[in-house]
Amino acid sequence: MEFRDLKTQYLQNKEAIDSAIQNVLLSGHFIGGEPVQQLEEKLADYVGVKHCITCANGTDALQLSLMAWNIGEGDAVFVPDFTFFSTAEVIPLVKATPVFVDIDKDTFNLSAESLEKAIQNVLKNGKITPKAVIAVDLFGQPADFAEIRKITEKYKLLLLEDGAQGFGGRIKSKRACSFGDIATTSFFPAKPLGCYGDGGAVFTDNDEWAELIQSYKVHGKGADKYDNVRIGLNSRLDAIQAAVLLVKFKFFDREIALCNQVAEQYTDQLNSFIKAPVIRKDMISSWAQYTICFQNNKDRERAIRNLKQNGIPSAIYYQRPMHLQKAFSSCAEGSEFQCKVTESICSCCLSLPMHAYMDMDDITIISQILNGERK
Ligand SMILES: *Cc1c(COP(=O)(O)O)cnc(C)c1O
């Protein structure tokens, strides 16, 4: 069994994908060009924002956004304690200070209440200046943007949406990657919309930031790539990846609908000792992960063992709170605020196989093993 079945996805769409790749090979244009431009137009339209700027990966997308906002030394950027490393990694990369914020125990997403406490703490300490909040659409569910927006407005902070796992999700009819002042996503193969290598994108309605990001991603270009007006990155999506994404985009919404059926099946079948993911009213998840919680780490370890004995993969996203990562020990604030919810979730969470090509019988088998009804 696959944790995320990219092989079946390919085999079911082999002709279209092969031919898209071959067209790029025949064109002889491997960087930029028609497929990249087409993809940017399609994705901007899908998300409902003015600009989509593709780049090399989701981490660069985050960094480019902070660069466009000129965030740097002395600036505080608030970030969930429970996320993939790169959400927070980009903050010290631009010389700003990450401040870790606790999460909601049901959605695993940034807690607006903890966010306000963290902001007030930073203001009280007076050492660094609050500038931006990064909210993550973790595991596919959009963050609580209604509440987070109130706080960013109250404290006049910029809001960056890390939609690496959330692409394709929605709040009512509004799509993920349209909630931040800038939003980013990743096309890493295992993400909801994945390519066959690395890729990422930035979304915004703001013309000035879009232009800055266009410059930063091409060595800080001015009039052209040999006129360099600022220090930037080399961060581009290549044509083969764009061509693959254009094919996969055609059945993307169908895949998300299928993932929602898988999630429903799991949630129906798991017993009450296991906490199923909570999706808030009006939210649609793109199900980057289906993540459950056990009563404790011991139960989790037993479950992992039992699954493994049956050839079923599972993964712990995430093992460790950001504030306990060694890399941040000298460059972060916030461990003193304590992220109790994150610590407890890290000790009991487990992500199960989740993709659009899952066999419904496999979901039953997995659930029975986890429920202790099957060896
Ligand atoms: C995967 C991921 C990223 C980084 O994306 P890459 O394309 O791997 O650089 C950033 N944030 C979150 C929440 C992610 O899951």
Side-chain angles (χ1 to χ4, degrees):
M1 204 184 298
E2 303 278 331
F3 191 69
R4 207 135 178 113
D5 194 350
L6 299 173
K7 273 184 270 181
T8 303
Q9 184 196 49
Y10 170 62
L11 290 173
Q12 287 194 7
N13 302 281
K14 186 172 184 307
E15 245 170 73
I17 292 172
D18 287 357
S19 123
I21 292 174
Q22 195 166 35
N23 285 340
V24 176
L25 299 181
L26 291 169
S27 79
H29 296 290
F30 299 104
I31 299 292
E34 187 61 25
V36 174
Q37 200 181 334
Q38 249 188 46
L39 180 74
E40 290 180 340
E41 281 165 19
K42 281 225 155 75
L43 297 188
D45 183 55
Y46 177 78
V47 167
V49 298
K50 206 161 159 194
H51 305 280
C52 166
I53 304 143
T54 54
C55 62
N57 55 67
T59 310
D60 279 5
L62 290 164
Q63 186 181 347
L64 287 163
S65 308
L66 297 181
M67 289 166 85
W69 286 341
N70 198 25
I71 283 175
E73 208 166 335
D75 294 338
V77 179
F78 300 85
V79 60
D81 198 34
F82 190 64
T83 182
F84 179 61
F85 186 66
S86 63
T87 313
E89 179 182 28
V90 294
I91 301 165
L93 264 177
V94 301
K95 303 201 159 43
T97 306
V99 182
F100 297 117
V101 177
D102 213 354
I103 54 164
D104 178 274
K105 69 177 181 8
D106 292 328
T107 63
F108 312 123
N109 275 330
L110 190 71
S111 148
E113 197 183 317
S114 304
L115 173 63
E116 181 155 32
K117 273 192 204 140
I119 295 168
Q120 286 173 348
N121 256 310
V122 167
L123 288 170
K124 198 170 70 199
N125 291 345
K127 284 188 299 200
I128 46 177
T129 314
K131 276 287 163 67
V133 174
I134 307 182
V136 180
D137 301 331
L138 201 74
F139 303 150
Q141 175 166 219
D144 185 4
F145 287 105
E147 292 303 311
I148 293 168
R149 208 24 121 176
K150 286 183 199 157
I151 291 172
T152 56
E153 276 175 5
K154 181 169 169 189
Y155 295 92
K156 302 215 167 9
L157 305 178
L158 292 158
L159 178 57
L160 178 55
E161 175 185 0
D162 179 352
Q165 300 181 13
F167 199 73
R170 302 196 309 262
I171 304 178
K172 293 185 181 158
S173 61
K174 208 164 150 40
R175 289 195 194 276
C177 291
S178 70
F179 300 109
D181 297 310
I182 299 183
T184 62
T185 198
S186 163
F187 305 123
F188 180 80
K191 306 283 168 157
L193 182 62
C195 59
Y196 291 155
D198 278 308
V202 182
F203 298 87
T204 187
D205 277 324
N206 185 296
D207 298 336
E208 189 190 330
W209 297 334
E211 202 178 314
L212 278 167
I213 290 163
Q214 292 284 8
S215 166
Y216 277 122
K217 69 170 257 193
V218 188
H219 308 288
K221 72 170 177 183
D224 62 62
K225 135 179 186 187
Y226 301 103
D227 172 35
N228 307 97
V229 298
R230 50 182 71 86
I231 300 299
L233 309 176
N234 170 23
S235 186
R236 51 202 175 202
L237 183 74
D238 66 64
I240 289 180
Q241 301 309 337
V244 168
L245 287 167
L246 280 167
V247 177
K248 288 203 192 182
F249 182 65
K250 288 186 191 156
F251 49 83
F252 182 54
D253 277 344
R254 198 169 68 230
E255 286 190 338
I256 289 183
L258 287 168
C259 286
N260 273 281
Q261 287 178 18
V262 171
E264 217 170 285
Q265 286 286 326
Y266 269 132
T267 302
D268 276 356
Q269 295 186 28
L270 290 169
N271 73 20
S272 57
F273 293 100
I274 296 164
K275 188 173 177 193
V278 176
I279 303 298
R280 291 264 191 254
K281 188 170 167 284
D282 297 331
M283 299 251 183
I284 302 285
S285 177
S286 59
W287 294 108
Q289 304 293 343
Y290 184 91
T291 303
I292 56 176
C293 288
F294 291 92
Q295 311 268 332
N296 52 52
N297 185 34
K298 228 171 142 184
D299 287 0
R300 173 170 70 178
E301 288 192 335
R302 187 184 322 119
I304 295 171
R305 259 197 322 273
N306 291 342
L307 290 170
K308 202 168 166 195
Q309 271 167 10
N310 286 275
I312 298 162
S314 61
I316 300 178
Y317 299 125
Y318 294 94
Q319 290 261 8
R320 189 175 296 166
M322 286 297 117
H323 77 265
L324 295 178
Q325 290 285 6
K326 184 174 172 217
F328 293 124
S329 58
S330 60
C331 62
E333 296 251 337
S335 46
E336 71 266 31
F337 309 146
Q338 293 187 321
C339 296
K340 287 284 179 224
V341 179
T342 300
E343 281 175 21
S344 101
I345 301 286
C346 286
S347 72
C348 68
C349 62
L350 187 69
S351 301
L352 304 178
M354 163 53 83
H355 53 82
Y357 305 90
M358 272 191 80
D359 189 329
M360 290 299 171
D361 291 339
D362 284 347
I363 300 170
T364 304
I365 292 171
I366 293 170
S367 303
Q368 286 173 346
I369 292 168
L370 294 173
N371 290 344
E373 298 155 3
R374 178 195 274 257
K375 269 280 161 237

PDB file of all heavy atoms in Angstrom, residues 57-59 62 83-84 86-87 136 162 164-165 186 188 191 198-199 318, ligand 1:
ATOM      1  N   ASN A  57      10.361  26.228  -5.591  1.00  0.00           N
ATOM      2  CA  ASN A  57       9.795  25.353  -4.557  1.00  0.00           C
ATOM      3  C   ASN A  57       8.995  26.198  -3.560  1.00  0.00           C
ATOM      4  O   ASN A  57       9.049  27.429  -3.600  1.00  0.00           O
ATOM      5  CB  ASN A  57      10.908  24.559  -3.833  1.00  0.00           C
ATOM      6  CG  ASN A  57      11.973  25.475  -3.259  1.00  0.00           C
ATOM      7  OD1 ASN A  57      11.699  26.241  -2.335  1.00  0.00           O
ATOM      8  ND2 ASN A  57      13.167  25.437  -3.821  1.00  0.00           N
ATOM      9  N   GLY A  58       8.319  25.514  -2.664  1.00  0.00           N
ATOM     10  CA  GLY A  58       7.473  26.210  -1.703  1.00  0.00           C
ATOM     11  C   GLY A  58       8.245  26.996  -0.662  1.00  0.00           C
ATOM     12  O   GLY A  58       7.735  27.973  -0.104  1.00  0.00           O
ATOM     13  N   THR A  59       9.458  26.564  -0.378  1.00  0.00           N
ATOM     14  CA  THR A  59      10.291  27.287   0.590  1.00  0.00           C
ATOM     15  C   THR A  59      10.742  28.623   0.002  1.00  0.00           C
ATOM     16  O   THR A  59      10.657  29.666   0.663  1.00  0.00           O
ATOM     17  CB  THR A  59      11.516  26.435   0.994  1.00  0.00           C
ATOM     18  OG1 THR A  59      11.060  25.135   1.375  1.00  0.00           O
ATOM     19  CG2 THR A  59      12.277  27.059   2.140  1.00  0.00           C
ATOM     20  N   LEU A  62       8.006  31.184   0.077  1.00  0.00           N
ATOM     21  CA  LEU A  62       7.875  31.873   1.366  1.00  0.00           C
ATOM     22  C   LEU A  62       8.958  32.937   1.520  1.00  0.00           C
ATOM     23  O   LEU A  62       8.696  34.069   1.933  1.00  0.00           O
ATOM     24  CB  LEU A  62       7.989  30.861   2.513  1.00  0.00           C
ATOM     25  CG  LEU A  62       6.824  29.877   2.688  1.00  0.00           C
ATOM     26  CD1 LEU A  62       7.246  28.704   3.578  1.00  0.00           C
ATOM     27  CD2 LEU A  62       5.611  30.579   3.281  1.00  0.00           C
ATOM     28  N   THR A  83       4.284  22.794  12.359  1.00  0.00           N
ATOM     29  CA  THR A  83       4.278  22.924  10.898  1.00  0.00           C
ATOM     30  C   THR A  83       5.522  22.243  10.352  1.00  0.00           C
ATOM     31  O   THR A  83       6.356  21.739  11.110  1.00  0.00           O
ATOM     32  CB  THR A  83       4.243  24.414  10.472  1.00  0.00           C
ATOM     33  OG1 THR A  83       4.197  24.490   9.035  1.00  0.00           O
ATOM     34  CG2 THR A  83       5.464  25.182  10.948  1.00  0.00           C
ATOM     35  N   PHE A  84       5.646  22.234   9.024  1.00  0.00           N
ATOM     36  CA  PHE A  84       6.885  21.763   8.407  1.00  0.00           C
ATOM     37  C   PHE A  84       7.966  22.831   8.608  1.00  0.00           C
ATOM     38  O   PHE A  84       7.675  24.030   8.584  1.00  0.00           O
ATOM     39  CB  PHE A  84       6.647  21.483   6.917  1.00  0.00           C
ATOM     40  CG  PHE A  84       7.870  21.024   6.197  1.00  0.00           C
ATOM     41  CD1 PHE A  84       8.505  19.848   6.569  1.00  0.00           C
ATOM     42  CD2 PHE A  84       8.424  21.781   5.170  1.00  0.00           C
ATOM     43  CE1 PHE A  84       9.657  19.431   5.925  1.00  0.00           C
ATOM     44  CE2 PHE A  84       9.575  21.357   4.517  1.00  0.00           C
ATOM     45  CZ  PHE A  84      10.194  20.187   4.891  1.00  0.00           C
ATOM     46  N   SER A  86      10.175  24.392   6.997  1.00  0.00           N
ATOM     47  CA  SER A  86      10.497  25.541   6.148  1.00  0.00           C
ATOM     48  C   SER A  86       9.609  26.755   6.395  1.00  0.00           C
ATOM     49  O   SER A  86      10.023  27.875   6.122  1.00  0.00           O
ATOM     50  CB  SER A  86      10.554  25.176   4.667  1.00  0.00           C
ATOM     51  OG  SER A  86       9.334  24.743   4.212  1.00  0.00           O
ATOM     52  N   THR A  87       8.408  26.567   6.919  1.00  0.00           N
ATOM     53  CA  THR A  87       7.553  27.719   7.243  1.00  0.00           C
ATOM     54  C   THR A  87       8.310  28.701   8.147  1.00  0.00           C
ATOM     55  O   THR A  87       8.204  29.920   7.998  1.00  0.00           O
ATOM     56  CB  THR A  87       6.272  27.272   7.991  1.00  0.00           C
ATOM     57  OG1 THR A  87       5.688  26.171   7.322  1.00  0.00           O
ATOM     58  CG2 THR A  87       5.267  28.393   8.069  1.00  0.00           C
ATOM     59  N   VAL A 136      -0.558  28.738   8.410  1.00  0.00           N
ATOM     60  CA  VAL A 136      -0.380  27.553   7.556  1.00  0.00           C
ATOM     61  C   VAL A 136      -1.727  26.850   7.394  1.00  0.00           C
ATOM     62  O   VAL A 136      -2.469  26.689   8.370  1.00  0.00           O
ATOM     63  CB  VAL A 136       0.636  26.584   8.198  1.00  0.00           C
ATOM     64  CG1 VAL A 136       0.836  25.352   7.335  1.00  0.00           C
ATOM     65  CG2 VAL A 136       1.961  27.297   8.444  1.00  0.00           C
ATOM     66  N   ASP A 162       0.726  30.227   4.166  1.00  0.00           N
ATOM     67  CA  ASP A 162       1.513  29.109   3.647  1.00  0.00           C
ATOM     68  C   ASP A 162       0.524  28.009   3.242  1.00  0.00           C
ATOM     69  O   ASP A 162       0.071  27.226   4.061  1.00  0.00           O
ATOM     70  CB  ASP A 162       2.499  28.607   4.715  1.00  0.00           C
ATOM     71  CG  ASP A 162       3.331  27.418   4.228  1.00  0.00           C
ATOM     72  OD1 ASP A 162       3.046  26.884   3.136  1.00  0.00           O
ATOM     73  OD2 ASP A 162       4.271  27.014   4.954  1.00  0.00           O
ATOM     74  N   ALA A 164       1.100  25.480   1.216  1.00  0.00           N
ATOM     75  CA  ALA A 164       1.814  24.343   0.606  1.00  0.00           C
ATOM     76  C   ALA A 164       0.986  23.062   0.692  1.00  0.00           C
ATOM     77  O   ALA A 164       1.007  22.233  -0.214  1.00  0.00           O
ATOM     78  CB  ALA A 164       3.163  24.142   1.292  1.00  0.00           C
ATOM     79  N   GLN A 165       0.237  22.911   1.799  1.00  0.00           N
ATOM     80  CA  GLN A 165      -0.583  21.709   1.958  1.00  0.00           C
ATOM     81  C   GLN A 165      -2.051  21.999   1.672  1.00  0.00           C
ATOM     82  O   GLN A 165      -2.866  21.082   1.622  1.00  0.00           O
ATOM     83  CB  GLN A 165      -0.445  21.168   3.389  1.00  0.00           C
ATOM     84  CG  GLN A 165       0.983  20.799   3.737  1.00  0.00           C
ATOM     85  CD  GLN A 165       1.122  20.248   5.156  1.00  0.00           C
ATOM     86  OE1 GLN A 165       0.146  19.912   5.816  1.00  0.00           O
ATOM     87  NE2 GLN A 165       2.360  20.149   5.617  1.00  0.00           N
ATOM     88  N   SER A 186       3.328  24.852  -2.719  1.00  0.00           N
ATOM     89  CA  SER A 186       4.424  23.988  -3.150  1.00  0.00           C
ATOM     90  C   SER A 186       3.867  22.935  -4.098  1.00  0.00           C
ATOM     91  O   SER A 186       2.751  22.449  -3.894  1.00  0.00           O
ATOM     92  CB  SER A 186       5.038  23.296  -1.932  1.00  0.00           C
ATOM     93  OG  SER A 186       5.814  22.172  -2.331  1.00  0.00           O
ATOM     94  N   PHE A 188       5.756  20.161  -4.668  1.00  0.00           N
ATOM     95  CA  PHE A 188       6.478  18.937  -4.299  1.00  0.00           C
ATOM     96  C   PHE A 188       5.544  17.747  -4.582  1.00  0.00           C
ATOM     97  O   PHE A 188       4.339  17.842  -4.365  1.00  0.00           O
ATOM     98  CB  PHE A 188       6.839  19.020  -2.811  1.00  0.00           C
ATOM     99  CG  PHE A 188       7.580  17.832  -2.272  1.00  0.00           C
ATOM    100  CD1 PHE A 188       8.942  17.683  -2.486  1.00  0.00           C
ATOM    101  CD2 PHE A 188       6.903  16.845  -1.555  1.00  0.00           C
ATOM    102  CE1 PHE A 188       9.612  16.582  -1.991  1.00  0.00           C
ATOM    103  CE2 PHE A 188       7.573  15.741  -1.057  1.00  0.00           C
ATOM    104  CZ  PHE A 188       8.935  15.607  -1.283  1.00  0.00           C
ATOM    105  N   LYS A 191       2.452  16.838  -2.414  1.00  0.00           N
ATOM    106  CA  LYS A 191       1.476  17.866  -2.027  1.00  0.00           C
ATOM    107  C   LYS A 191       0.189  17.670  -2.829  1.00  0.00           C
ATOM    108  O   LYS A 191       0.195  16.946  -3.831  1.00  0.00           O
ATOM    109  CB  LYS A 191       2.044  19.261  -2.296  1.00  0.00           C
ATOM    110  CG  LYS A 191       3.387  19.521  -1.662  1.00  0.00           C
ATOM    111  CD  LYS A 191       3.318  19.790  -0.172  1.00  0.00           C
ATOM    112  CE  LYS A 191       4.725  19.735   0.374  1.00  0.00           C
ATOM    113  NZ  LYS A 191       4.942  20.434   1.595  1.00  0.00           N
ATOM    114  N   ASP A 198      10.677  19.523  -8.006  1.00  0.00           N
ATOM    115  CA  ASP A 198      10.339  20.624  -7.116  1.00  0.00           C
ATOM    116  C   ASP A 198       9.642  21.738  -7.883  1.00  0.00           C
ATOM    117  O   ASP A 198       9.905  21.952  -9.066  1.00  0.00           O
ATOM    118  CB  ASP A 198      11.616  21.181  -6.470  1.00  0.00           C
ATOM    119  CG  ASP A 198      12.040  20.351  -5.265  1.00  0.00           C
ATOM    120  OD1 ASP A 198      11.190  20.129  -4.378  1.00  0.00           O
ATOM    121  OD2 ASP A 198      13.208  19.913  -5.219  1.00  0.00           O
ATOM    122  N   GLY A 199       8.794  22.465  -7.171  1.00  0.00           N
ATOM    123  CA  GLY A 199       8.125  23.616  -7.766  1.00  0.00           C
ATOM    124  C   GLY A 199       7.347  24.351  -6.693  1.00  0.00           C
ATOM    125  O   GLY A 199       7.042  23.790  -5.645  1.00  0.00           O
ATOM    126  N   TYR A 318       3.710  16.149  13.077  1.00  0.00           N
ATOM    127  CA  TYR A 318       5.154  16.294  13.129  1.00  0.00           C
ATOM    128  C   TYR A 318       5.635  15.795  14.471  1.00  0.00           C
ATOM    129  O   TYR A 318       4.945  15.922  15.462  1.00  0.00           O
ATOM    130  CB  TYR A 318       5.544  17.756  12.890  1.00  0.00           C
ATOM    131  CG  TYR A 318       5.184  18.166  11.476  1.00  0.00           C
ATOM    132  CD1 TYR A 318       3.984  18.786  11.194  1.00  0.00           C
ATOM    133  CD2 TYR A 318       6.032  17.866  10.421  1.00  0.00           C
ATOM    134  CE1 TYR A 318       3.638  19.111   9.893  1.00  0.00           C
ATOM    135  CE2 TYR A 318       5.703  18.216   9.116  1.00  0.00           C
ATOM    136  CZ  TYR A 318       4.501  18.822   8.862  1.00  0.00           C
ATOM    137  OH  TYR A 318       4.151  19.137   7.567  1.00  0.00           O
TER     138      TYR A 318
HETATM  139  C1  LIG B   1       6.162  21.249   1.888  1.00  0.00           C
HETATM  140  C2  LIG B   1       5.946  22.464   2.685  1.00  0.00           C
HETATM  141  C3  LIG B   1       6.699  23.634   2.469  1.00  0.00           C
HETATM  142  C4  LIG B   1       7.887  23.691   1.550  1.00  0.00           C
HETATM  143  O1  LIG B   1       7.681  23.325   0.240  1.00  0.00           O
HETATM  144  P1  LIG B   1       8.908  22.807  -0.642  1.00  0.00           P
HETATM  145  O2  LIG B   1       8.373  22.864  -2.023  1.00  0.00           O
HETATM  146  O3  LIG B   1       9.245  21.434  -0.188  1.00  0.00           O
HETATM  147  O4  LIG B   1      10.034  23.768  -0.457  1.00  0.00           O
HETATM  148  C5  LIG B   1       6.392  24.747   3.215  1.00  0.00           C
HETATM  149  N1  LIG B   1       5.408  24.734   4.127  1.00  0.00           N
HETATM  150  C6  LIG B   1       4.678  23.638   4.372  1.00  0.00           C
HETATM  151  C7  LIG B   1       3.589  23.693   5.397  1.00  0.00           C
HETATM  152  C8  LIG B   1       4.925  22.455   3.669  1.00  0.00           C
HETATM  153  O5  LIG B   1       4.207  21.368   3.935  1.00  0.00           O
END
